[in-house]
């Protein structure tokens, strides 16, 4: 049996007057998580853990922060 395990962490700054999104859910708060894309640290950490287990790099490999395509990209939240 081949078992693979991945670990993911993500760190962003808190900033006033921006949405706080955790795991795709908007949470009422005076501060949100700033980021190039959506700043959703839970989703980012899960993606990093999955990619790590697959030995496929990290989230920056597929969604680089220097690509304007992902700037302030919002995924499932705000629905
Ligand atoms: Zn992130």
């Amino acid at each position: 049996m081949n078992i693979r395990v991945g670990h993911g962490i993500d760190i962003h700054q808190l900033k006033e007057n921006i949405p706080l999104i955790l795991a795709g859910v908007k949470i009422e708060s005076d501060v949100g998580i700033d980021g190039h894309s959506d700043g959703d640290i839970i989703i980012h950490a899960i993606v990093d853990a999955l990619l790590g287990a697959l030995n496929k790099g990290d989230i920056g490999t597929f969604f680089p922060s220097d690509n304007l395509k992902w700037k302030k990209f919002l995924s499932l939240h705000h629905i």
Side-chain angles (χ1 to χ4, degrees):
M1 180 186 307
N2 183 13
I3 297 175
R4 292 175 174 233
V5 176
H7 296 268
I9 64 167
D10 196 31
I11 300 170
H12 289 256
Q13 287 188 322
L14 293 176
K15 186 176 179 182
E16 293 183 358
N17 301 315
I18 61 172
L20 174 61
I21 310 294
L22 293 174
V25 177
K26 184 175 180 181
I27 298 170
E28 288 299 320
S29 175
D30 295 334
V31 295
I33 302 169
D34 196 20
H36 176 75
S37 61
D38 58 3
D40 191 330
I41 57 174
I42 293 177
I43 298 295
H44 296 183
I46 291 170
V47 169
D48 271 347
L50 292 169
L51 290 172
L54 294 169
N55 193 25
K56 296 288 188 183
D58 65 15
I59 194 169
T61 303
F62 295 90
F63 305 98
S65 60
D66 61 354
N67 185 335
L68 293 179
K69 181 178 181 180
W70 308 119
K71 186 167 180 62
K72 300 303 177 198
F73 179 81
L74 302 175
S75 53
L76 302 175
H77 41 315
H78 304 278
I79 299 175

